[in-house]
Amino acid sequence: MHIPSLREVVSAEEWALRCDLAACYRLVAAYGWSDLVFTHISAKLPDSVTAGEHQFLINPYGLMFDEITASSLVKVDMACNKLHDSPFPVNPAGFVIHSAVHEARPEAGCVLHTHTRAGVGVSAQKAGILPISQQSTFVLSSLAYHDYEGVALRDEEKARLQADLGKANYLVLRNHGLLTVGRTIADAFLSMYTFENTCRIQIDALAGGSELTQVDPKILNGMADVMRVATAGQGAQLAWPALLRKVERLDPGYRT
């Protein structure tokens, strides 16, 4: 596909955000979390908030995640209306969940949603996330659940999803999948990496058939401080440059 570059058309800030979001899509594909062309990762344009608007970048509907480039990302408003010429369609139905989260959480720079095998599997388990791994301790410190209401097509579901999410950064969408909220794209991705591994470990542990050892509940206190220490105060930014280098090795074309 020939997609005209937007590098000289958009601001330097928007171009940098486009490159980061395209990299995030490529990483989701590389780690096996994509669901063909379905699910979305949305990123808010900070300049649009300053101007009193709320604009987002989202995937062009119909492209595989490992095809997405900085220039192919589509700029939309809160109703998922396209704000610039693009040959690609957008999926308003798929943006219902994302717009609900962005609306309720103004600080959310990125919302990442997946339908992985492990994530959907755990979302169907009545007990939800179990405190059985180090990874789970980070998730459980900021976790919420939202019951399944069918394919998310109706705006009326937004209020219930927003109430369930509250201030949490990890959301289990029952019988559906996983969602993370991040101040930045890097934050949302690293949270999903932890979330997905939590679910994979849980599925594997339960498959063993023996009684599981659970983490002492007292350990769950103060996990935000633990994360800051574990990442030398850098949070997701400790890993993000290395992840960008990984994408560069896979295919630097994401920056076109």
Side-chain angles (χ1 to χ4, degrees):
M1 294 180 296
H2 175 68
I3 300 170
S5 175
L6 296 178
R7 184 168 190 168
E8 304 303 321
V9 177
V10 302
S11 68
E13 292 76 14
E14 179 174 334
W15 183 252
L17 190 71
R18 284 176 172 273
C19 289
D20 266 7
L21 185 56
C24 188
Y25 274 103
R26 297 295 184 101
L27 286 165
V28 167
Y31 281 100
W33 307 342
S34 59
D35 183 13
L36 295 180
V37 302
F38 306 103
T39 78
H40 305 278
I41 313 167
S42 57
K44 182 185 296 183
L45 289 160
D47 289 349
S48 71
V49 179
T50 304
E53 303 172 349
H54 293 276
Q55 299 175 355
F56 307 88
L57 299 175
I58 197 166
N59 50 314
Y61 199 38
L63 265 63
M64 300 286 278
F65 282 19
D66 61 1
E67 295 181 295
I68 290 173
T69 63
S71 295
S72 69
L73 291 162
V74 184
K75 189 189 302 186
V76 299
D77 61 17
M78 279 293 286
C80 210
N81 298 310
K82 289 195 289 187
L83 299 177
H84 66 97
D85 290 335
S86 171
F88 302 104
V90 291
N91 179 18
F95 197 61
V96 167
I97 290 173
H98 290 253
S99 61
V101 175
H102 283 295
E103 182 179 57
R105 300 283 294 275
E107 83 285 3
C110 182
V111 177
L112 200 167
H113 172 41
T114 61
H115 296 161
T116 65
R117 181 173 177 176
V120 177
V122 171
S123 79
Q125 293 176 352
K126 194 166 186 178
I129 301 294
L130 300 174
I132 58 170
S133 65
Q134 178 168 276
Q135 288 81 353
S136 72
T137 63
F138 293 101
V139 173
L140 288 164
S141 67
S142 187
L143 178 64
Y145 294 85
H146 176 65
D147 286 341
Y148 188 61
E149 299 187 23
V151 176
L153 301 175
R154 302 178 304 279
D155 282 343
E156 66 187 50
E157 184 179 353
K158 286 184 178 183
R160 292 185 290 275
L161 188 149
Q162 291 167 339
D164 289 337
L165 175 65
K167 296 299 182 182
N169 292 323
Y170 299 88
L171 180 66
V172 172
L173 296 158
R174 290 287 193 184
N175 310 103
H176 183 173
L178 308 177
L179 182 144
T180 57
V181 181
R183 185 181 57 82
T184 66
I185 292 167
D187 290 329
F189 179 84
L190 187 61
S191 292
M192 185 57 75
Y193 183 86
T194 304
F195 210 1
E196 173 67 15
N197 278 341
T198 295
C199 292
R200 289 168 64 96
I201 291 165
Q202 182 165 319
I203 293 291
D204 288 347
L206 290 172
S210 60
E211 185 176 358
L212 303 180
T213 300
Q214 298 205 355
V215 173
D216 187 327
K218 294 193 295 290
I219 292 175
L220 301 180
N221 297 327
M223 289 307 298
D225 291 333
V226 171
M227 176 61 85
R228 279 191 288 272
V229 173
T231 60
Q234 297 181 59
Q237 290 304 321
L238 179 65
W240 189 244
L243 287 164
L244 291 179
R245 293 194 297 272
K246 178 181 179 70
V247 180
E248 288 285 335
R249 292 192 298 272
L250 291 171
D251 180 5
Y254 78 96
R255 291 184 286 103
T256 60

